[in-house]
């Protein structure tokens, strides 16, 4: 009998599709994918392929970003209702209201936003390049949306006048100093590495702070054998594959249930019936590309 995984591989080849999986998806989804990584990196990798169809195993804003970067490709979401809570905390209309309050400010928007929200920002950024983008923006006054924790981290590091937005990632917001200290007692030799979406007081006790890709690279290069990893626990699968023999510990609360909605069965249905297609208004798509392009221009 043909397994779900085998059928997915057959359809992928037949339809010239590429499967992307975010680091926070379940291990069986990551093992199915052609590329595993963070949201923008995956969208860029897919854009560089000759695939006709992109199956994005991630939350909805990620599929929208892939469509922005690959407007001629069909982009499918296995679970269209897998929404990012943080992306829902900031709309274009809300940003326009904030702009009226701070007319001289430049808006820097985290890539973890909807396509509609991106149309209202001046520059996009990722967790990996947020500090570089903010430092490169000529203006000293910045409205940073939507993640208050990443914004606060960048504010401290850049020294700029950053107006914070009160959005957050529930997974990273729930990581507390008490949880980290409990893990440190259990694993005294482990080094603490953290995603900048964590709260500032948590980041202050981390040895290394970086995006999921930066955390991966750091752990691979490190002589340390044990790590307390302050991000979503799905990252553990990729870390374990990249660092055989090393040990990784996560807090019990580090679970994004929307990422875990995606199953091999939903990927198969998506490929079979071409469901969950991303459709963007052409004008919105064009406007949303502008801040992404400005970000890439800064980084070269």
């Amino acid at each position: 009998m043909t397994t779900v995984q085998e059928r997915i591989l057959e359809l992928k080849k037949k339809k010239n599709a590429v499967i992307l999986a975010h680091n926070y998806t379940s291990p069986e989804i990551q093992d199915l994918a052609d590329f595993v990584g963070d949201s923008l990196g995956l969208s860029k990798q897919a854009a560089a392929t000759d695939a006709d169809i992109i199956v994005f195993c991630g939350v909805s804003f990620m599929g929208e970003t892939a469509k922005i970067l690959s407007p001629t490709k069909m982009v499918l979401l296995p679970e269209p209702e897998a929404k990012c809570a943080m992306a829902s905390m900031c709309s274009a209309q809300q940003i326009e209201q904030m702009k009226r309050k701070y007319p001289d400010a430049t808006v820097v928007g985290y890539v973890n936003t909807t396509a509609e929200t991106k149309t209202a920002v001046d520059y996009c950024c990722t967790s990996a390049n947020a500090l570089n983008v903010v430092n490169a923006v000529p203006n000293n006054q910045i409205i940073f949306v939507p993640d208050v924790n990443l914004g606060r981290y960048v504010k401290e590091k850049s020294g700029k006048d950053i107006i914070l937005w009160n959005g957050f990632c529930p997974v990273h917001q729930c990581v507390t100093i008490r949880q980290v200290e409990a893990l440190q007692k259990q694993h005294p030799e482990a080094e603490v590495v953290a995603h900048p979406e964590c709260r500032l007081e948590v980041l202050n006790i981390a040895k290394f702070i970086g995006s999921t890709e930066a955390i991966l690279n750091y752990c691979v290069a490190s002589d340390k054998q044990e790590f307390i990893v302050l991000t979503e626990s799905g990252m553990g699968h990729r870390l374990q594959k990249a660092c055989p023999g090393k040990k990784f510990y996560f807090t019990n609360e580090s679970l994004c249930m929307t990422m875990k909605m995606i199953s091999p069965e939903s990927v198969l249905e998506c490929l079979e019936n071409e469901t969950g297609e991303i459709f963007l208004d052409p004008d919105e798509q064009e406007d949303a590309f502008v801040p992404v392009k400005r970000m890439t221009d800064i980084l070269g």
Side-chain angles (χ1 to χ4, degrees):
M1 182 183 291
T2 303
T3 66
V4 171
Q5 287 81 0
E6 286 170 343
R7 181 66 180 141
I8 288 171
L9 294 176
E10 288 172 7
L11 283 169
K12 187 180 74 167
K13 185 176 180 181
K14 178 182 177 182
K15 297 193 175 189
N16 190 29
V18 62
I19 299 177
L20 312 178
H22 191 270
N23 289 314
Y24 298 163
T25 55
S26 58
E28 60 264 33
I29 295 299
Q30 294 186 35
D31 290 344
L32 273 174
D34 297 292
F35 301 106
V36 182
D38 59 28
S39 61
L40 185 64
L42 289 171
S43 293
K44 290 167 75 173
Q45 283 178 302
T49 72
D50 62 358
D52 296 312
I53 297 175
I54 298 170
V55 178
F56 207 128
C57 301
V59 290
S60 54
F61 83 80
M62 298 177 183
E64 291 181 350
T65 303
K67 186 65 177 177
I68 290 167
L69 295 185
S70 299
T72 62
K73 298 182 192 293
M74 177 185 286
V75 180
L76 306 177
L77 292 173
E79 292 288 351
E81 293 307 309
K83 310 283 188 182
C84 171
M86 178 167 61
S88 302
M89 295 177 187
C90 181
S91 68
Q93 185 179 14
Q94 289 173 314
I95 293 174
E96 294 300 339
Q97 291 172 349
M98 186 68 90
K99 283 179 175 178
R100 287 193 284 273
K101 189 174 180 181
Y102 301 98
D104 297 325
T106 298
V107 182
V108 175
Y110 195 14
V111 74
N112 296 32
T113 48
T114 66
E116 181 240 10
T117 299
K118 286 180 175 70
T119 65
V121 310
D122 298 304
Y123 295 84
C124 269
C125 72
T126 67
S127 56
N129 66 32
L131 183 59
N132 289 340
V133 170
V134 166
N135 282 334
V137 171
N139 200 344
N140 187 59
Q141 189 176 62
I142 307 285
I143 299 170
F144 191 94
V145 301
D147 188 359
V148 67
N149 294 320
L150 181 58
R152 191 172 284 125
Y153 172 73
V154 171
K155 180 174 184 170
E156 185 178 79
K157 294 293 183 182
S158 69
K160 287 197 171 186
D161 177 19
I162 295 184
I163 300 150
L164 299 172
W165 194 271
N166 200 29
F168 57 87
C169 166
V171 172
H172 294 94
Q173 181 77 357
C174 287
V175 178
T176 67
I177 289 179
R178 189 171 297 171
Q179 291 168 358
V180 181
E181 289 175 342
L183 281 172
Q184 286 178 310
K185 284 183 181 178
Q186 294 171 38
H187 310 287
E189 298 302 312
E191 195 166 82
V192 179
V193 295
H195 194 284
E197 287 179 20
C198 293
R199 289 183 284 174
L200 193 59
E201 61 266 29
V202 171
L203 296 179
N204 286 337
I205 59 176
K207 171 70 174 178
F208 177 79
I209 299 165
S211 66
T212 51
E213 291 301 306
I215 287 172
L216 177 76
N217 293 334
Y218 180 83
C219 292
V220 168
S222 175
D223 292 333
K224 288 282 187 177
Q225 296 300 303
E226 297 182 68
F227 300 88
I228 294 167
V229 186
L230 306 182
T231 191
E232 210 275 346
S233 59
M235 189 66 193
H237 182 62
R238 192 161 172 226
L239 284 166
Q240 207 69 69
K241 288 177 75 173
C243 309
K246 294 185 179 182
K247 295 180 180 179
F248 302 94
Y249 311 108
F250 295 80
T251 68
N252 292 333
E253 287 74 19
S254 298
L255 195 67
C256 176
M257 295 311 298
T258 49
M259 286 287 192
K260 300 303 188 277
M261 288 169 65
I262 303 156
S263 66
E265 290 75 16
S266 63
V267 174
L268 176 57
E269 182 183 357
C270 168
L271 263 174
E272 279 183 331
N273 304 316
E274 297 181 4
T275 54
E277 184 173 359
I278 294 284
F279 293 102
L280 296 177
D281 175 84
D283 291 336
E284 179 180 272
Q285 188 167 303
E286 190 175 325
D287 290 345
F289 178 72
V290 172
V292 178
K293 178 67 165 58
R294 286 178 180 153
M295 172 185 68
T296 56
D297 286 346
I298 283 175
L299 301 173

